[in-house]
Amino acid sequence: MPVTNAGAAGLLNEIADLLDISEADSFRIRSYRHAADSLSSWAEEIENISQKEGLKGLQAIPGIGKGLAEKLEELLSTGQIGYHQELLAQFPDGILELLRVPGLGPRTVALVYHELQIADIDDLEQAARDQQLRDLPGLGAKSEEKILASIERYRQGLTRALLGDILPIAEQLIASLRAHPDVLAAEMAGSTRRRRATVGDLDLLVTSHHPEQVCRDFAASGQLAEVTMAGDTKVSGLLAGGRSVDLRVVPPESYGAALQYFTGSAAHGVALRSRAQKMNLTINEYGVFEQHNDEVGERVAGDTEESVYAAAGLAWIPPELREDRGEIQTAAEGNLPRLLELKQIRGDLHIHTTGSDGKRTLEEMAEACRQRGYSYAGITDHSPALSVAGGLKAAEILEQAARIAKLNQQYKDQGVEFRILAGLEADILGEGQVDLPEEAFAVLDFVIGAVHQGFSPDADRMTARVIAALQSGRIDILAHPTGRLLLQREPYGLHLPEVIEAAGQLKVAVEINANPHRLDLDDVHSRFAQENGTLLSINTDAHDIAHLEFMQYGVYTARRGWVERKSVINTWTLKQLKKWLDKRRKQWA
Ligand code: DGT
Ligand code: CA
Ligand code: CA
């Protein structure tokens, strides 16, 4: 196995963690962490450096002295570091996994290990439940709750994956199945088809007259890292990362019924079948059948999903709505929403550049947005207070705005129907002040506001802080309102409905951040926003060109929240958007 810089950095960090638990001297721990950081951002692979320049070359990397360089050489030649192995041998096996629980630092792990001999996750969970942690120095009843929540989140992370990681794989698998000569139709099902933000396992459905052949070929195709079950109509296996995949093959006449059944959600299926029952119908994965008392009669539908819903007196319900959140009743009334579509998005209003922590220049990001067919793009680098992310100083904001004006002039001269909006991602500070220099405000087309630092565990305070920022009139869009990171970090406590209502009253749009790690607002609160008359803006928060692709995930989230085009400001034309922004400026002038 080749040793990558990231792999080596991981090992050094592990050494630092183990030293931390051993309560070693803090200088030594810091030097390992520093070296790990520096390695992980070092462009040239240590493998190459070592081959070409040996120890001396490795020592040229910041934070790597002679001793560490020798350890890296050892790693390159033997595949491990003896010192790391020695440290590992001093602790039980479970200790490293404990360190992987988010929010559980080496200090806490050291404490529970030394005081209570806790060395794995199960023991820690038990101790927290038994209220044994609250008496340890620096911990309390709150810490027990937090630790339990972290363990739960860690386990969830093992059992669910991000839609953003699964969907591209699902699309590839579906494309290859469709190319099989015996496959008539292929579609994803389950939570992936419903575009849930996280996915447990991946469900695929195909129709064929030769199911055994399709199953055999899929199992043998090498697309699964491991095949766990290969039957005549079903194949189960694992993706490279260990995630489960189920492929089911049905005859074409059952396609609609099977697709409806395996798309779920289970709760939606139950609600649909109970409605059907009242109409003397039975719905299962083979079709829709007449039912009289206990007798199953003639089949009346099932070849298409439309026919299944129609048999129950309903219009076809988009998969994103199938969560038993009122969609069946609404369909029965003929009132299903006309859901937002990706092609209705005319621009992206949250984009970073090399001005702050983005990877591409303003010109590169602008060009990529133009090529996507957008009418506009909003550039929103960080504000001065966010120095860790290279926040722009006032003068730099003015400079960037001038560059944007120049670009826009070029577009105009060339007759190109595309404009850049000069924006800023202004930090919402401790008491809700907006980090926005006065001279910058004057040149900006719009401002998005977000909390990035100084989180308070006090939900009332966080709510007041965000609402104060909205009341300043300086923020046009509230970005990633809860700060959640899916499977990693809970939303910071704030009363979201209050914030959404305030935004509605103050005519501030609320973002659905389309980054698949965030999807913040989530589906439920996006729906609440629309019902409340609060406008939404779906943005990628792109830090590189590839991230512009995230827009689809924001749209899925919106669709799961019943959101229609009219609620989303970046479906508007540039003219409409500018008018709205102007109106806000005048109102607050
Ligand atoms: P996941 O995988 O946890 O993200 O969620 P789903 O929705 O993909 O659930 P999964 O994979 O367990 O099952 C796929 C679909 O099959 C599910 O959405 C509906 C259907 N299904 C599975 N088990 C049941 C069940 O016990 N009752 C009903 N009504 N439907 C089920
Ligand atoms: Ca599934
Ligand atoms: Ca499944």
Side-chain angles (χ1 to χ4, degrees), residues 55 58-59 64-75:
L55 271 184
L58 291 172
Q59 283 179 66
I64 310 274
K66 180 138 178 292
L68 265 170
E70 281 168 0
K71 290 194 173 66
L72 290 176
E73 293 258 88
E74 182 191 351
L75 175 64

Side-chain angles (χ1 to χ4, degrees), residues 174-295:
I174 289 294
S176 90
L177 284 163
R178 284 183 182 150
H180 189 288
D182 290 324
V183 167
L184 300 167
E187 197 52 81
M188 26 187 131
S191 49
T192 313
R193 183 164 182 240
R194 302 198 310 279
R195 303 293 194 256
R196 235 186 107 174
T198 64
V199 170
D201 68 2
L202 172 58
D203 302 284
L204 305 173
L205 183 74
V206 311
T207 61
S208 174
H209 293 298
H210 305 286
E212 304 88 353
Q213 190 64 41
V214 173
C215 285
R216 238 192 335 266
D217 292 347
F218 184 67
S221 69
Q223 296 181 94
L224 300 178
E226 190 185 325
V227 175
T228 50
M229 202 277 281
D232 287 345
T233 59
K234 186 177 171 189
V235 177
S236 296
L238 305 176
L239 298 175
R243 182 105 355 234
S244 300
V245 182
D246 290 326
L247 170 74
R248 295 179 183 85
V249 187
V250 300
E253 61 273 17
S254 299
Y255 185 49
L259 188 56
Q260 198 290 317
Y261 182 86
F262 290 114
T263 297
S265 63
H268 171 86
V270 168
L272 177 66
R273 282 190 289 280
S274 92
R275 173 182 169 87
Q277 214 160 37
K278 291 182 199 129
M279 303 167 72
N280 293 321
L281 294 170
T282 287
I283 302 183
N284 58 34
E285 59 265 55
Y286 307 104
V288 184
F289 301 85
E290 284 180 356
Q291 160 121 36
H292 300 288
N293 301 321
D294 279 346
E295 213 151 300

Side-chain angles (χ1 to χ4, degrees), residues 253-529:
E253 61 273 17
S254 299
Y255 185 49
L259 188 56
Q260 198 290 317
Y261 182 86
F262 290 114
T263 297
S265 63
H268 171 86
V270 168
L272 177 66
R273 282 190 289 280
S274 92
R275 173 182 169 87
Q277 214 160 37
K278 291 182 199 129
M279 303 167 72
N280 293 321
L281 294 170
T282 287
I283 302 183
N284 58 34
E285 59 265 55
Y286 307 104
V288 184
F289 301 85
E290 284 180 356
Q291 160 121 36
H292 300 288
N293 301 321
D294 279 346
E295 213 151 300
V296 177
E298 204 174 323
R299 187 182 128 118
V300 295
D303 52 338
T304 64
E305 270 197 331
E306 282 82 356
S307 77
V308 174
Y309 284 103
L314 303 173
W316 179 81
I317 299 176
E320 293 95 329
L321 298 186
R322 300 184 196 173
E323 298 290 349
D324 193 24
R325 293 175 182 164
E327 68 278 9
I328 290 183
Q329 188 54 38
T330 310
E333 290 158 5
N335 286 331
L336 284 175
R338 286 180 59 162
L339 296 181
L340 176 74
E341 292 173 35
L342 180 59
K343 62 172 194 264
Q344 295 168 340
I345 299 288
R346 289 187 206 254
D348 192 334
L349 296 173
H350 189 167
I351 294 173
H352 294 272
T353 75
T354 46
S356 60
D357 56 351
K359 297 269 185 277
R360 304 288 185 140
T361 62
L362 161 64
E363 288 76 11
E364 287 171 323
M365 292 309 280
E367 179 57 19
C369 286
R370 194 186 64 78
Q371 278 183 13
R372 287 181 71 84
Y374 284 153
S375 310
Y376 47 85
I379 300 296
T380 54
D381 277 314
H382 289 289
S383 66
L386 209 63
S387 49
V388 290
L392 297 179
K393 299 195 180 64
E396 294 168 322
I397 299 172
L398 299 188
E399 229 172 89
Q400 191 182 58
R403 254 164 91 192
I404 289 172
K406 201 174 124 197
L407 267 179
N408 282 334
Q409 187 59 48
Q410 285 170 13
Y411 294 134
K412 203 169 167 189
D413 294 344
Q414 294 160 3
V416 174
E417 298 264 338
F418 174 76
R419 295 293 181 272
I420 306 288
L421 297 174
L424 186 74
E425 179 172 11
D427 215 18
I428 295 176
L429 304 174
E431 305 299 325
Q433 312 94 310
V434 178
D435 181 34
L436 175 61
E438 205 53 40
E439 62 270 45
F441 182 58
V443 302
L444 292 172
D445 294 309
F446 77 109
V447 176
I448 64 181
V451 175
H452 290 104
Q453 44 195 357
F455 304 119
S456 157
D458 179 342
D460 293 343
R461 270 191 66 183
M462 281 300 281
T463 306
R465 172 176 170 186
V466 171
I467 292 179
L470 303 184
Q471 284 168 337
S472 73
R474 291 292 160 99
I475 289 175
D476 304 301
I477 302 171
L478 175 64
H480 44 72
T482 81
R484 80 164 174 179
L485 291 176
L486 282 162
L487 310 174
Q488 286 177 51
R489 184 171 80 197
E490 289 296 305
Y492 36 78
L494 98 172
H495 307 303
L496 198 47
E498 276 178 43
V499 170
I500 292 170
E501 275 167 13
Q505 278 156 19
L506 297 162
K507 304 262 185 295
V508 175
V510 179
E511 179 177 82
I512 299 176
N513 190 291
N515 184 308
H517 289 275
R518 290 189 183 271
L519 300 178
D520 176 19
L521 292 180
D522 64 11
D523 48 2
V524 170
H525 290 96
S526 299
R527 185 170 172 184
F528 177 83

